Amino acid sequence: MKTVGILALQGDFDAHRKAVERAGGLAVEVRSAKELDACDGLIVPGGESTTMLKLLDIENLTEPLRQFAARKPVFGTCAGAILLARSVTNPAQPSLNLIDIDVERNAYGRQIDSRVTRVKADGHEMEAVFIRAPKILRVGEGGKVLATCNGDPVWVEQGRHMVTTFHPELTPDSRVHCAFLAKL
Amino acid sequence: MYLSDEFRLKVGLAEMLKGGVIMDVTNVEQAKIAESAGASAVMALERVPSDIRKEGGVSRMASIRIIREIMDTVSIPVMAKARIGHFTEARVLEALGVDYIDESEVLTPADEEHHIDKKNFKVPFVCGARNLGEALRRIAEGAAMIRTKGEAGSGNIVEAVRHIRTIVKEMKHLTILGKEELVHEAKNLGAPLELVEWVAANGKLPVPNFSAGGIATPADAALVMQLGAEAVFVGSGIFKSEDPDSRARAIVKAATYYNDPVKLLEASEELGEAMRGLDVSKLPESELLQTRGW
């Protein structure tokens, strides 16, 4: 069974743990470089990207995460997608540049504008939960859009990494987590 | 109700706040300090609880101008407090677009019998609770997040510990009861049977369970999280200490590494004086905030 690390600095890492288990993986919480080493892939969950950035920096986890990503798949949801992006606006903040996308934070508004909706993925529809979601403004040449919502890319893959701006961990549908497990 | 899209979104944002620290702030400067220290959200209010306690008077929803300034300044979620039962204060906050409303015992209650009918709002609510019955009544009214009350503004963790222990113990107890016993227990708790049965089957609340009221140090935050809280609210503990900035960072670190004593030691080192605390057992009943709410 593949071991999926879930970055547990802050956010909905517990929901991801359950989603990984539903998809047939072994989930472990990751808060240190040592814990990261034991994983076949890493999920950067939803939560507050500013909080996660601070902790990555203070705990000297940015470089280990980069080295991990050079060898193994990383999947970011919502705040995780913001961390993995090439550039971030609203406001501008540092990011890991693991996937060639530009994102705008809180682009659809505040919590009152959060929504459960359907997105189109490869000819199929799937339910998607958007919470204070970022918007992917640009997808680079190597990127492949796997799902869209009202024309916006919401699930993007580039090589071994992928991101969603919605929260597949908050719906019973396991397809997105299964797609990530298949990369490991 | 619990599976409706709207309720899932409300609980969803609470899920995003897990493992984090929600900090009380009274102005834009404090909000910036909180955000740059790694707060996962800020709570805008007029005065922090220890000042409310000292100054007395009626405590209301914060000034709209200040809440709006804070919303315009930080990128993290902004919460604000409404008085217990004051559904029009809540409507104003909803129209303003805050991300969460805390129907809070820290403010002077507007209604001494009824809480806000929170199901009728699009904005999510968090409510305080001292025990399982109180928590489930608030959830029945539509709260999407519970925080144990503790004793706000006391700088004393004893009540927060009492409340999280009580809720966890009462939930454990439900898991060993038979169906017919749950009916009786629902009556004792003063909570809907449907929710009592849910807790009995799952051993936890159907919404995230955070802790508040008296957290003043990194070790305090880690303590309530080890006892079962999934995130913490810190009120007076940060901006009434000698060193708000470093203390805020330290508590953020403690909320992540609550199970790691070495990291907790790192977080606790080089901190100045914590806020001055109160002996809650010496406070007269009339000065307790936790007994507000029904």
Side-chain angles (χ1 to χ4, degrees):
Chain A
M1 195 188 283
K2 296 291 184 183
T3 302
V4 182
I6 300 160
L7 192 66
L9 299 177
Q10 192 275 320
D12 74 334
F13 48 87
D14 197 47
H16 269 291
R17 177 184 59 76
K18 292 177 196 148
V20 166
E21 286 166 2
R22 279 199 300 273
L26 178 70
V28 295
E29 291 180 4
V30 170
R31 292 181 178 82
S32 69
K34 196 175 152 214
E35 287 166 339
L36 183 58
D37 271 345
C39 303
D40 299 308
L42 180 74
I43 293 177
V44 183
E48 279 312 310
S49 60
T50 50
T51 307
M52 291 185 220
L53 268 178
K54 292 282 169 230
L55 285 160
L56 281 174
D57 183 38
I58 294 165
E59 299 304 318
N60 298 317
L61 290 171
T62 310
E63 198 44 43
L65 210 160
R66 275 186 201 288
Q67 284 170 14
F68 180 87
R71 294 174 285 124
K72 293 177 177 169
V74 180
F75 168 30
T77 60
C78 194
I82 295 170
L83 290 185
L84 266 52
R86 190 196 70 166
S87 83
V88 182
T89 50
N90 190 33
Q93 64 184 42
S95 54
L96 295 164
N97 191 17
L98 298 180
I99 282 201
D100 186 13
I101 53 168
D102 296 340
V103 301
E104 180 187 347
R105 289 182 62 199
N106 299 326
Y108 301 96
R110 307 192 70 95
Q111 172 63 12
I112 210 106
D113 309 299
S114 293
R115 65 206 191 282
V116 179
T117 182
R118 317 282 300 175
V119 300
K120 287 199 192 79
D122 196 21
H124 302 281
E125 283 214 338
M126 71 196 303
E127 186 182 46
V129 178
F130 290 89
I131 296 175
R132 289 172 47 96
K135 183 172 182 169
I136 298 176
L137 302 174
R138 186 195 60 86
V139 178
E141 291 219 338
K144 188 173 161 200
V145 177
L146 299 179
T148 57
C149 183
N150 300 326
D152 293 335
V154 295
W155 179 9
V156 173
E157 164 187 75
Q158 183 189 309
R160 61 185 164 279
H161 306 313
M162 64 183 217
V163 294
T164 60
T165 55
F166 58 97
H167 293 281
E169 71 279 15
L170 297 183
T171 47
D173 189 329
S174 286
R175 275 179 283 177
V176 176
H177 281 83
C178 286
F180 183 60
L181 278 168
K183 289 170 165 293
L184 311 187
Chain B
M1 155 195 175
Y2 304 105
L3 293 173
S4 74
D5 286 354
E6 191 168 280
F7 197 70
R8 288 164 63 202
L9 287 172
K10 291 174 173 177
V11 170
L13 180 55
E15 292 283 338
M16 299 309 144
L17 299 171
K18 283 185 177 176
V21 184
I22 300 145
M23 301 184 192
D24 276 3
V25 296
T26 56
N27 56 47
V28 171
E29 289 66 41
Q30 291 183 351
K32 282 189 201 159
I33 293 173
E35 182 179 47
S36 81
S40 55
V42 289
M43 172 77 71
L45 74 176
E46 201 167 38
R47 297 175 282 171
V48 293
S50 70
D51 286 339
I52 290 173
R53 198 177 274 294
K54 229 181 288 163
E55 293 160 15
V58 174
S59 233
R60 311 179 178 93
M61 167 179 81
S63 131
I64 296 302
R65 182 180 55 82
I66 291 177
I67 302 173
R68 199 192 291 277
E69 277 174 14
I70 292 171
M71 288 167 62
D72 288 344
T73 306
V74 300
S75 64
I76 55 180
V78 176
M79 306 187 178
K81 289 183 192 285
R83 284 178 266 179
I84 289 174
H86 206 317
F87 53 84
T88 51
E89 271 189 357
R91 284 293 179 205
V92 170
L93 293 172
E94 181 179 53
L96 178 61
V98 300
D99 297 296
Y100 241 94
I101 295 176
D102 184 0
E103 186 185 17
S104 177
E105 70 282 2
V106 168
L107 306 186
T108 312
D111 189 323
E112 297 193 331
E113 273 177 52
H114 311 97
H115 282 252
I116 298 170
D117 176 15
K118 295 168 275 289
K119 287 199 289 284
N120 276 323
F121 285 75
K122 194 160 182 250
V123 62
F125 279 78
V126 51
C127 286
R130 286 170 300 164
N131 52 53
L132 185 59
E134 217 175 342
L136 296 182
R137 285 194 293 280
R138 298 296 84 81
I139 296 167
E141 292 156 359
M145 181 202 300
I146 292 296
R147 54 169 178 76
T148 50
K149 285 178 174 172
E151 185 59 31
S154 71
N156 188 339
I157 197 68
V158 66
E159 296 301 306
V161 168
R162 190 191 321 281
H163 299 160
I164 191 85
R165 278 206 185 270
T166 300
I167 289 179
V168 169
K169 187 169 77 183
E170 288 176 330
M171 290 194 296
K172 276 188 197 155
H173 176 63
L174 289 187
T175 63
I176 58 166
L177 297 182
K179 267 210 154 333
E180 72 285 8
E181 291 172 300
L182 291 177
V183 178
H184 181 71
E185 208 48 40
K187 181 181 144 200
N188 285 344
L189 289 168
L193 177 61
E194 177 206 11
L195 283 172
V196 170
E197 286 175 337
W198 196 97
V199 173
N202 294 279
K204 62 186 199 69
L205 293 180
V207 303
N209 185 14
F210 294 2
S211 182
I215 296 164
T217 70
D220 286 347
L223 176 62
V224 287
M225 290 190 66
Q226 288 203 27
L227 291 174
E230 296 170 298
V232 293
F233 286 80
V234 185
S236 323
I238 290 173
F239 290 102
K240 286 292 159 186
S241 72
E242 252 186 5
D243 49 356
D245 188 24
S246 48
R247 186 162 296 269
R249 286 170 205 278
I251 295 178
V252 167
K253 179 163 171 158
T256 296
Y257 295 100
Y258 65 94
N259 248 334
D260 182 338
V262 175
K263 294 282 186 190
L264 291 177
L265 168 64
E266 286 172 18
S268 309
E269 260 172 327
E270 291 170 32
L271 285 183
E273 280 280 311
M275 71 178 278
R276 191 165 165 75
L278 295 171
D279 183 346
V280 181
S281 66
K282 299 228 167 69
L283 287 177
E285 178 78 20
S286 62
E287 286 182 23
L288 291 178
L289 301 176
Q290 60 176 276
T291 51
R292 297 165 164 183
W294 355 104

